[in-house]
Amino acid sequence: MEDKITIKEAYAAMYAYLKMLYDMTGSDDLGGFLGSMSLLEDGTPADPGVWDDWMRSVQQARHGQVDLTLGRPDE
């Protein structure tokens, strides 16, 4: 049986994962990105473009357009 979660739950999972990486590394880049991903009181991300980018990524995943392999650098 395949587990299914909502798009909002997947967003929360991605946030939690990036927050864990931030807690481990203290990366300013991750911290800044987490700030833009954080939700405002109305439930929208602090940076509205983040949700559009997220939905684009969701569509790519749904259509099998995400390469999850470890690619080799261009030679």
Side-chain angles (χ1 to χ4, degrees), residues 58-71:
V58 167
Q59 291 306 315
Q60 288 174 333
R62 283 182 168 166
H63 293 100
Q65 298 171 336
V66 178
D67 182 0
L68 294 171
T69 61
L70 181 60

Side-chain angles (χ1 to χ4, degrees), residues 2-43:
E2 187 175 321
D3 290 336
K4 294 185 181 186
I5 61 176
T6 68
I7 291 171
K8 288 184 178 183
E9 289 170 332
Y11 185 89
M14 178 181 63
Y15 185 94
Y17 179 72
L18 294 175
K19 172 84 169 63
M20 179 183 65
L21 291 176
Y22 173 74
D23 290 343
M24 289 189 307
T25 66
S27 167
D28 289 340
D29 289 337
L30 277 175
F33 186 63
L34 284 166
S36 66
M37 284 182 65
S38 297
L39 300 182
L40 303 174
E41 288 184 24
D42 66 359

